[in-house]
Amino acid sequence: MGGDTLKDEELASSLYPDFSRSSSCCFSDDLGVSEEKLAAYMRKREKTYQEILQSHDLLRERLGKNNRKLKLARRQILSYTPGSFADVNLSDYHIPKTTSILIVGPKGAGKSSLVNRITRVVQDEEFAPARAQESYGMPSNGGTFFLQEYMIPRGGSASFCLCDTRGLSQISSSDNTTMIEQWIKKGVHHGEPVIWTSDDSDLKDRLIRDGCTGCEIRKVNSIIFVVNAVEMMESESSYAHMVSTAFNSPLLSFKDDKPAVVITHGDLLSREERARVQVLVGELLGIPPDKQIFDIPGSIDSRDAATTLTVCNLLRHCLEHADKNLRFCPKRNFTISKVEGGDKNRTRMTMFSVALTLFLALAIIWFIHEHGGQNVAHEARHELHVFQSPRLYNLTHEVLPKLSSSVQNSESETEDVPNGEPSIDWRTARRLWFDEGKVAKAEGEPSFDWRTTRRLWYVE
């Protein structure tokens, strides 16, 4: 067993010359880790390294000239809408209009280059002009100072967007923490200046002057963390410490989901070195290197099928995790719908409300039918008694000495008026009640049925 342990340690030292020291420290006897566990760990690392080393070759062989799988992956990205990858009832969650993916990483890691690569892959335009401004030369020259928003797909109704940010500060970790907290808690918007406390006054003034604050603020739904593979291989431990500190910030995690990691500039390294960096970054950040770390070189031809499929897999990973962590926002009837028999209870409540409405409508109609006629007759009789016209008063209380022949004929056809009730001059009453012209016209027409008129006038 001891010989195997020494052999594994020598293999780890040859594969990870810069990392073997830290791994041996982590598994030292002071921590109570046995040699068997150390040997098992080294064998697991070797297996992961070999799988990553062979993954690109196997992927190229499987794809070959058949781009059906690649077309299917691109079609899934283009057909995406916010919430389409979620396995929940979307009516109980807040669905954003556009899914926002924040790209974070050190300066010079290749964030803007990744935006251009993703745009060309999704739109299948290998010669499309660059959308994001890429920096060239030393990392100290230029860079992204304003948060830039890029809609995918370009033009039309975009389903998700990429937010390119300024590189993380290698001088002050508090600047990184402050800015990340602002992006996650308050949201991001296009044209927002990113200002560090370590910036000189002239740069701060320029960023404040040119900053834009009138754009729509978007909530961050997913994060891509970009790391420079060359820097991880050649730089001192300060770069790895800065990457580890920023990545492990609780603000960058959505519940238990940590950001996806992209390793860039791998085209400047050999296949073995790229696989070595991928395993090293996975152990440093505590994520599986073969599932959550994506090797996307910056300058390899975009027609490379393996790299193109890796970009599609990266986007699908981010969109699925964004839909997985949607904000829960139930409706008012959520409690009724979630209890046992919720659908039946909701149906019964609807039927009860309809029946109650019909009952109230029938009750109102019955009340109007029963009491409406009596109220009208009472109001008519009341108006007759309170009408203070002296002429009408004389008609109802004084008997004229002589009646016209037409009135005598009409009264002869009617029943005898009960004793004690006053007689009425109907001709005069009609002229007072109706319009004079209408009465004159009606006199030439057949006479009224005075018996019916009297019964309507004197309501028993």
Side-chain angles (χ1 to χ4, degrees):
M1 182 65 66
D4 296 337
T5 304
L6 293 176
K7 183 178 180 180
D8 292 334
E9 290 179 353
E10 293 176 358
L11 179 61
S13 178
S14 62
L15 293 177
Y16 314 96
D18 297 332
F19 199 68
S20 59
R21 187 181 309 167
S22 62
S23 63
S24 61
C25 178
C26 293
F27 290 93
S28 62
D29 294 336
D30 296 338
L31 297 179
V33 179
S34 62
E35 295 182 357
E36 291 78 4
K37 292 183 178 180
L38 177 60
Y41 170 77
M42 301 303 294
R43 286 194 295 269
K44 181 180 179 181
R45 175 191 284 183
E46 168 64 15
K47 180 181 178 181
T48 304
Y49 168 77
Q50 293 295 337
E51 289 177 352
I52 294 175
L53 190 62
Q54 299 174 4
S55 61
H56 284 277
D57 296 335
L58 294 175
L59 189 59
R60 290 189 181 92
E61 293 178 1
R62 292 177 181 177
L63 290 175
K65 296 181 180 180
N66 185 11
N67 294 329
R68 182 178 179 180
K69 187 175 182 179
L70 183 59
K71 292 180 180 179
L72 178 60
R74 184 184 285 112
R75 191 181 303 115
Q76 290 176 345
I77 300 300
L78 291 174
S79 61
Y80 167 81
T81 56
S84 60
F85 289 149
D87 296 331
V88 295
N89 185 10
L90 298 182
S91 60
D92 295 334
Y93 291 82
H94 174 72
I95 307 301
K97 182 175 63 176
T98 303
T99 300
S100 179
I101 301 177
L102 186 68
I103 302 179
V104 182
K107 188 174 182 179
K111 299 182 295 297
S112 300
S113 301
L114 179 63
V115 171
N116 295 330
R117 170 57 60 85
I118 291 175
T119 302
R120 294 188 179 103
V121 168
V122 173
Q123 298 184 353
D124 197 15
E125 297 179 2
E126 55 182 293
F127 299 109
R131 300 180 64 184
Q133 176 63 52
E134 301 179 11
S135 59
Y136 181 77
M138 298 298 295
S140 59
N141 298 330
T144 302
F145 292 95
F146 300 90
L147 194 145
Q148 302 293 329
E149 187 178 85
Y150 301 96
M151 293 294 178
I152 305 293
R154 188 175 186 175
S157 58
S159 57
F160 66 95
C161 65
L162 303 175
C163 299
D164 190 12
T165 62
R166 183 181 180 181
L168 297 176
S169 174
Q170 300 186 26
I171 300 176
S172 174
S173 59
S174 61
D175 285 341
N176 299 334
T177 303
T178 302
M179 189 53 61
I180 290 174
E181 181 178 2
Q182 178 178 342
W183 290 335
I184 301 301
K185 292 185 176 181
K186 298 183 179 180
V188 295
H189 60 271
H190 180 74
E192 174 187 2
V194 182
I195 303 175
W196 306 133
T197 56
S198 57
D199 294 335
D200 56 68
S201 58
D202 293 338
L203 178 58
K204 291 181 180 179
D205 294 339
R206 183 178 72 85
L207 296 179
I208 295 174
R209 183 185 68 249
D210 298 339
C212 173
T213 58
C215 299
E216 179 182 0
I217 298 178
R218 302 184 186 276
K219 178 179 175 58
V220 177
N221 304 115
S222 185
I223 297 175
I224 297 176
F225 198 95
V226 184
V227 178
N228 189 335
V230 178
E231 291 289 340
M232 291 295 296
M233 287 287 297
E234 298 178 353
S235 65
E236 298 179 357
S237 59
S238 59
Y239 185 87
H241 177 73
M242 185 266 295
V243 170
S244 176
T245 303
F247 180 86
N248 291 312
S249 172
L251 297 171
L252 289 183
S253 299
F254 294 91
K255 297 180 181 178
D256 293 331
D257 294 336
K258 294 184 177 181
V261 177
V262 173
I263 295 178
T264 60
H265 298 83
D267 50 302
L268 303 178
L269 303 174
S270 63
R271 294 173 57 252
E272 292 78 8
E273 290 175 334
R274 290 169 60 181
R276 186 187 310 165
V277 171
Q278 191 166 343
V279 175
L280 178 133
V281 172
E283 293 180 349
L284 179 66
L285 304 182
I287 57 177
D290 55 339
K291 297 179 181 179
Q292 202 168 338
I293 298 179
F294 302 87
D295 185 6
I296 303 177
S299 61
I300 292 182
D301 191 355
S302 60
R303 290 174 293 181
D304 179 30
T307 304
T308 301
L309 185 58
T310 303
V311 172
C312 293
N313 293 336
L314 167 67
L315 292 177
R316 184 178 177 88
H317 175 88
C318 295
L319 297 176
E320 285 181 349
H321 282 72
D323 291 346
K324 174 185 175 182
N325 297 294
L326 293 173
R327 183 162 60 90
F328 186 62
C329 184
K331 295 183 178 180
R332 292 182 179 180
N333 61 348
F334 173 76
T335 304
I336 297 178
S337 62
K338 292 300 181 182
V339 299
E340 185 177 359
D343 296 336
K344 295 182 180 179
N345 292 335
R346 187 165 53 250
T347 304
R348 291 172 183 173
M349 291 294 293
T350 304
M351 295 177 63
F352 176 76
S353 61
V354 172
L356 181 60
T357 304
L358 293 177
F359 175 77
L360 293 176
L362 292 176
I364 293 173
I365 294 173
W366 175 83
F367 181 81
I368 295 175
H369 177 73
E370 290 294 328
H371 300 280
Q374 296 181 7
N375 293 336
V376 172
H378 178 72
E379 292 177 0
R381 181 181 294 178
H382 179 69
E383 290 178 358
L384 178 62
H385 287 287
V386 301
F387 188 76
Q388 298 298 326
S389 175
R391 190 175 180 185
L392 183 59
Y393 182 84
N394 294 332
L395 288 174
T396 57
H397 292 78
E398 297 180 1
V399 180
L400 295 177
K402 292 182 181 181
L403 299 177
S404 61
S405 59
S406 61
V407 175
Q408 293 176 358
N409 294 335
S410 63
E411 287 185 352
S412 63
E413 296 176 359
T414 60
E415 297 178 355
D416 295 335
V417 179
N419 294 332
E421 294 183 0
S423 61
I424 301 175
D425 185 356
W426 295 108
R427 181 185 297 275
T428 306
R430 287 173 58 202
R431 293 180 179 275
L432 290 174
W433 190 267
F434 300 102
D435 184 61
E436 293 284 342
K438 293 183 179 180
V439 173
K441 182 178 179 182
E443 288 178 352
E445 299 177 357
S447 59
F448 290 92
D449 186 359
W450 297 109
R451 178 177 298 178
T452 305
T453 305
R454 284 202 334 163
R455 289 183 177 178
L456 292 174
W457 188 271
Y458 294 97
V459 180
E460 296 182 359

